[in-house]
Amino acid sequence: MPARAPRRPRRATHSREQIVETAIAVLDREGAAGLTLRGLAAELGGGLGSVYWYVEGKRELMELCCDVLFGRAVDLGVGDAEFSSPPMDVDLDGLPEAVQHGAVGVRRLAMALFGELMAHPWLAAQSQLVGAGRVEGMRFWDALGRQLAVMGLSPQQQFIGSTAVIGYVMGVSAEMMSQDAHADPGTSKEEQLRTFADSWQGPEYEGLDWLRSIGEEFAAHDDTEQFAGGLDLLVTGLVHRAV
Amino acid sequence: MPARAPRRPRRATHSREQIVETAIAVLDREGAAGLTLRGLAAELGGGLGSVYWYVEGKRELMELCCDVLFGRAVDLGVGDAEFSSPPMDVDLDGLPEAVQHGAVGVRRLAMALFGELMAHPWLAAQSQLVGAGRVEGMRFWDALGRQLAVMGLSPQQQFIGSTAVIGYVMGVSAEMMSQDAHADPGTSKEEQLRTFADSWQGPEYEGLDWLRSIGEEFAAHDDTEQFAGGLDLLVTGLVHRAV
DNA sequence: ACCTGAACACCGTTCAAGT
DNA sequence: ACCTGAACACCGTTCAAGT
């Protein structure tokens, strides 16, 4: 064997944005438990420690990942791009135009955020990071609050309403995404729903007659319609306060 | 020094209930990050491995802890014990009695769950475990669904409404509890709120005029009133669907 | 049947040393 | 200024060995 010069390690060069984007890709592929700083460094082609030059630690990295996606939700939710969502089930007939506009704006922002949460199933469970004061998250809150102000709600109702909508979006999404995570992979969505619904007929749920009665509704439901339906309950409440 | 017989380790004796109760105590005291199986075993006076005789692993242990507290929320929410909650801000005048009863029942259950989430600040962030099919969690869902059935809502609206309420409760609570966790300890609640509100005037939030306008509302708010206010938006929506 | 603790295979974080 | 990787102080989980 000919002698070899010892491999000099190549120095990889990073940026904060690149690290965050790569982390999001890993999270999308492997889930929250699948992101490790070692794995991330390997994916970036560099050493473990260099990540720490750009982020304070794993927690800040997660916050930055979440914030980027909140930013995309605002951009989509305040823009005039078309994106599909179920028809709104709120009676706006005869209401002042400002109330109608505000209600539509609230719904649009919430649906845009829901879209990001569906596209990145690990994200909804990170709601603990919402209050971290990251700028894109705050931009989302600001955009939502503006719509409630447009509706003519009092400052107190703007505050309560905006936090209620964000809480609803994050909470319902976390519910839905965790259900997907619990299901074993390889089965279709329909089979998963059916398996859940059938399990509720088991003896451990004896006496929970309502639960048993709702199985068919669950087996036939669509996540986006379910989300939009609950959102419209909130929007109905907001409209009711505005007039 | 007199010779000593080697210490024979005492065999500790456990039960599943004792392990879960102790884990809840540790979680309350140290938070979710503070619960380790080694620490738990030490607290129980036994060895690390024995915990595995009773629970499959840390994940199941967390699920069991959450489920116990959901159980307490149902018991309180369906019983007739008095517990304080802000006055309901939903107009029920002239509505059928069944609708009124159902609406009150929904609110009662949601407030009872919120109480548990406030008493155990680590709990709200575990919403990923809600869909795990644990029996007390399912009992809570069943109790809530019954109230929506009482209101006369369609099965679809029962499904959408019940998941919306649970999602709202978990999501808003996770928001609130994480805010407390981010604040540095040693300062009063009022000071914490003031610090947050003031930080929104900083240059990184330039252009977020609504955010800046809402600071005073935030600084003066009360968590329970905020929660109840948002909940009543949802209940208003439900009542609107029922008539 | 139930308990023990060493051993294993990981983690996140730090930091002296490099370029 | 930015990168490297060994070292440290933990984790959860497994399992052969005990009682």
Side-chain angles (χ1 to χ4, degrees), chain A residues 22-47:
Chain A
T22 307
I24 291 174
V26 173
L27 287 163
D28 289 346
R29 207 177 56 225
E30 322 244 17
L35 178 70
T36 68
L37 296 187
R38 279 164 225 270
L40 180 64
E43 194 115 350
L44 288 162

Side-chain angles (χ1 to χ4, degrees), chain B residues 167-181:
Chain B
Y168 169 81
V169 175
M170 298 301 292
V172 171
S173 301
E175 266 179 46
M176 289 177 180
M177 300 310 130
S178 78
Q179 234 138 27
D180 291 358

Side-chain angles (χ1 to χ4, degrees), chain A residues 2-243:
Chain A
R4 274 231 214 181
R7 269 266 182 84
R8 285 244 252 86
R10 274 245 201 80
R11 277 168 66 95
T13 174
H14 299 142
S15 73
R16 202 174 156 108
E17 286 73 32
Q18 183 205 5
I19 288 175
V20 171
E21 289 303 328
T22 307
I24 291 174
V26 173
L27 287 163
D28 289 346
R29 207 177 56 225
E30 322 244 17
L35 178 70
T36 68
L37 296 187
R38 279 164 225 270
L40 180 64
E43 194 115 350
L44 288 162
L48 165 60
S50 77
V51 176
Y52 282 88
W53 184 260
Y54 295 95
V55 299
E56 282 178 11
K58 195 181 183 183
R59 165 156 194 133
E60 193 194 36
L61 177 59
M62 287 299 292
E63 288 183 9
L64 293 171
C65 290
C66 294
D67 207 45
V68 164
L69 300 176
F70 266 85
R72 292 186 198 163
V74 203
D75 291 340
L76 194 60
V78 300
D80 49 349
E82 284 293 326
F83 65 93
S84 79
S85 64
M88 187 157 104
D89 185 19
V90 180
D91 188 13
L92 295 176
D93 280 357
L95 295 177
E97 249 186 69
V99 174
Q100 298 192 31
H101 274 145
V104 170
V106 167
R107 197 176 192 275
R108 198 184 154 80
L109 277 159
M111 292 303 305
L113 180 53
F114 180 68
E116 291 300 324
L117 293 164
M118 292 269 280
H120 308 278
W122 51 273
L123 180 56
Q126 312 303 317
S127 57
Q128 351 141 12
L129 306 176
V130 168
R134 296 279 160 194
V135 66
E136 299 296 317
M138 293 314 234
R139 262 186 72 215
F140 186 90
W141 190 21
D142 181 85
L144 194 59
R146 273 167 204 267
Q147 301 299 328
L148 301 188
V150 165
M151 289 176 73
L153 293 166
S154 71
Q156 193 193 17
Q157 288 291 344
Q158 292 171 32
F159 173 67
I160 289 175
S162 59
T163 53
V165 170
I166 294 175
Y168 169 81
V169 176
M170 299 301 292
V172 171
S173 301
E175 267 179 45
M176 290 178 179
M177 300 309 129
S178 77
Q179 235 139 25
D180 291 358
H182 282 290
D184 60 340
T187 63
S188 73
K189 180 86 182 176
E190 288 78 30
E191 285 172 316
Q192 290 172 20
L193 295 179
R194 172 54 56 194
T195 305
F196 274 116
D198 288 349
S199 74
W200 300 341
Q201 305 303 323
E204 63 268 46
Y205 301 123
E206 201 197 331
L208 304 187
D209 299 333
W210 181 85
L211 176 69
R212 293 180 164 184
S213 80
I214 212 66
E216 291 312 307
E217 203 59 54
F218 178 79
H221 91 278
D222 171 83
D223 280 351
T224 303
E225 283 170 21
Q226 180 192 357
F227 174 82
L231 178 61
D232 288 339
L233 293 173
L234 263 178
V235 176
T236 298
L238 289 169
V239 166
H240 206 79
R241 293 280 185 280
V243 291

